[in-house]
Every structure is written in structure tokens, then in C-alpha cells.
Amino acid sequence: MPDTATATAPRAVSQHTAPPFGIALGPLLYYWPRERVLQFYAAAADAPVDRVYLGETVCTRRHELRHAQWLEIAQMLRDAGKEVVLSTPVLVENDTDIAWMRRACEQHGYLVEANDLGAVRCMGGRPFIAGPHLNVYHADTLAWLAGLGAAGCVVPVEMDGRTLAALAAARPGGVGVEAFAWGRMPLAFSARCFTARHHRLRKDSCEFRCMDYPDGLVAATGEGQAFFTLNGVQTQSATCLDLCGEALAMAAMGVDMLRVSPHSTGTLEVVQQLAAIRAGECAPAPSGITPAGAQPCNGYWHGGAGIAWEARA
């Protein structure tokens, strides 16, 4: 009879067979009709993504899907072989937000992405992923969060490549690092709903106008340049981050997961391109795909203005 410790020990994985990075599908940031959400995640179940984040992170007034329906999607994706993570709201300011946060944190079936420190406390030391809005910029912060249970972190979208490499090199053992690779960048949150204000409506009687904008409402400067995207209480970039060309460079730094943010078009095509890069079927290159005709950007990665695009050989 084989020794138990020997029989259950994990096998060593060759660096030549292990994928250089995982592909994560971030939480849906927009307000889509229920059927559209279900169709999107049914397609995602067949896509080469390794991890899928689910749940409402922007506005808990969005009620097309309740917690029970998110759990049904989670089970479907788990059955398809995906790792599922439940994301908590970013801006927690009332009892409804707290209830959404607690429902995610108090279940024990799935890992949680904690997007504010209240969620970290609610986890009570159980493993979680520190979301990008916890602002992990250096290893000391990550070590502190790891002491509270963080098994990984998603770095802020404005982190440049050099700082990311330093963070990945100095992180505590066993803590994963995930970086945003494609999509409109979530920049800020406010108690005021900008979409409602655009329509001269109050936040608590917004008529759910966010549903009219499946990729957010683009705001332009006085000179006509697309500058921000309004998404309810969230402000995003008008440009679309595209770091597909840096995928292998990030993997070499020690980044474990690359995040693709869901949009109404192009999302799963970008996933397929990253999978092809990972498999060595094509060279790393910008995806050339943007939602709703947005311009690409990569300025933060190079230490410049986030809105900029810098092409490099």
C-alpha cells in the first residue's frame, strides 16, 4: 500500500508545460439586461478563461440579477472548469451595499474579491483576493493584507511596468498578482451618480438609465476629445487599455493573471488572442480591439499619461 504522503503529494510541473499566465474575466461593470448577462457568461463558459469574477461592484440599485442568480451563474461556470470569484461593491455607503457585501463574504463556496476594507474585515481572516481599489502599490501593503488573509491582489490600473515588476518580486510567498490587461480603466467612484445627473435625474430615481449605455456614456472635453466614460457612480477612461502586447513580459515579471474587463463587444476575442499568445501560437501584440470605437491606451504602463498610446517595437 503506498505511503499516504507520497500518494497525495502534488506532481512537479515543468516550466515548459505550465502556462506562463492565467486569463481572468473581471466583474461586469455595466448594467445589462438579464438575458444579455446570461448569454455572455454562457459564452464565457466555453472561452479559454481560467478565472471569472461575478457580482455587482458599481451600484447595488442594479437589480437585474440578485445574489441567488449570480450563484447559479457561478455554479454553471464552475461546472465548466472555471475558478469563480465573487466580487464585493467598491463604494459601500448604505444598508443595501452592506447587505450585498455580506452576502458575498459570508458564503463559503467561492473565493471573494474584497473591494473595500469593510469586506476584508467581513472575511474574518479567510482567504480573499484584494481588489484593485484597495490600492496595493508596494510590498508592505501586500504583506499587511496577506496577514489578514489575502491570497492574491489585483494591482491598480495606473501602476507602471517597473513598479509592477518590483511588487511581484517582493510579494510574500504564495500570494498571487493579477494585472488589468484590456478594457476601459475604472478610475474613481463617487456618491453622486453621473449618468443620472446627465439626464437631470436624482440618484434615487435614476430610471436605471445606465442600461441605455452597455459600455458607459462617453464624456468629451470642450475641444471634443473623448476623455472620461460615465458609468453610474463610476468614472472610467474613455480610452481602452490594451496590454496584450506586454502579456509575456508581465508573465516574466511574475504576474500570475491578466484581467480582461467585460464589454459589449470584443471581450472574448481578446481572451482568444491572449490564449493564443500563451500557447505560443502568435507573438505578443496589441489586440487592435476596442469597445464602441474607443482609442487604445497604454500610457500608465510606460510611466506616462494614462490616456496616451505608445507604440514600441
Side-chain angles (χ1 to χ4, degrees):
M1 188 170 183
D3 179 79
T4 303
T6 303
T8 58
R11 293 178 299 167
V13 179
S14 167
Q15 289 183 345
H16 297 290
T17 59
F21 57 84
I23 302 173
L25 195 59
L28 176 61
L29 303 180
Y30 305 105
Y31 193 28
W32 293 353
R34 181 175 182 272
E35 285 306 312
R36 186 170 193 171
V37 175
L38 297 179
Q39 291 169 5
F40 177 79
Y41 286 111
D46 295 325
V49 294
D50 305 289
R51 175 184 290 170
V52 182
Y53 292 82
L54 298 175
E56 181 55 56
T57 64
V58 176
C59 178
T60 57
R61 282 181 53 79
R62 299 174 176 179
H63 59 279
E64 284 287 291
L65 275 80
R66 302 292 188 179
H67 182 69
Q69 278 109 30
W70 283 117
L71 290 181
E72 291 173 3
I73 296 172
Q75 186 60 55
M76 179 271 294
L77 290 167
R78 173 178 280 177
D79 292 343
K82 314 302 182 186
E83 179 189 13
V84 177
V85 182
L86 300 185
S87 298
T88 69
V90 175
L91 187 64
V92 179
E93 56 178 349
N94 55 45
D95 290 342
T96 302
D97 299 338
I98 293 171
W100 277 72
M101 179 190 72
R102 285 180 172 166
R103 278 192 291 267
C105 293
E106 291 175 357
Q107 57 77 42
H108 291 262
Y110 301 96
L111 194 60
V112 171
E113 178 187 50
N115 281 309
D116 90 314
L117 288 177
V120 172
R121 181 177 181 182
C122 194
M123 290 302 295
R126 289 183 290 121
F128 65 91
I129 295 176
H133 305 287
L134 290 187
N135 297 327
V136 178
Y137 290 103
H138 53 77
D140 288 345
T141 301
L142 186 53
W144 175 70
L145 287 169
L148 297 175
C153 80
V154 186
V155 300
V157 295
E158 66 270 25
M159 183 173 286
D160 63 88
R162 185 172 298 179
T163 304
L164 177 57
L167 175 65
R171 63 182 156 174
V175 177
V177 172
E178 181 176 323
F180 204 104
W182 184 88
R184 282 196 166 121
M185 297 180 289
L187 301 175
F189 287 79
S190 170
R192 174 176 290 174
C193 177
F194 299 110
T195 306
R197 184 174 177 83
H198 173 77
H199 289 281
R200 303 183 185 279
L201 298 169
R202 296 175 57 190
K203 180 180 178 181
D204 56 0
S205 56
C206 64
E207 300 176 3
F208 305 105
R209 291 297 185 93
C210 284
M211 198 174 285
D212 297 337
Y213 308 100
D215 290 306
L217 173 62
V218 176
T221 65
E223 292 75 26
Q225 180 188 15
F227 194 61
F228 287 127
T229 298
L230 307 181
N231 179 36
V233 299
Q234 183 186 59
T235 302
Q236 302 175 328
S237 62
T239 51
C240 175
L241 179 67
D242 188 345
L243 293 181
C244 293
E246 308 293 342
L248 294 184
M250 284 193 278
M253 292 175 183
V255 175
D256 305 284
M257 284 275 174
L258 302 187
R259 174 175 291 201
V260 175
S261 187
H263 289 74
S264 64
T265 59
T267 307
L268 298 184
E269 288 81 358
V270 172
V271 166
Q272 292 288 351
Q273 180 170 334
L274 284 172
I277 293 170
R278 177 172 66 180
E281 296 170 358
C282 67
S287 70
I289 300 170
T290 59
Q295 295 297 310
C297 68
N298 61 5
Y300 283 141
W301 175 261
H302 297 296
I307 198 172
W309 173 258
E310 184 172 339
R312 291 193 178 187

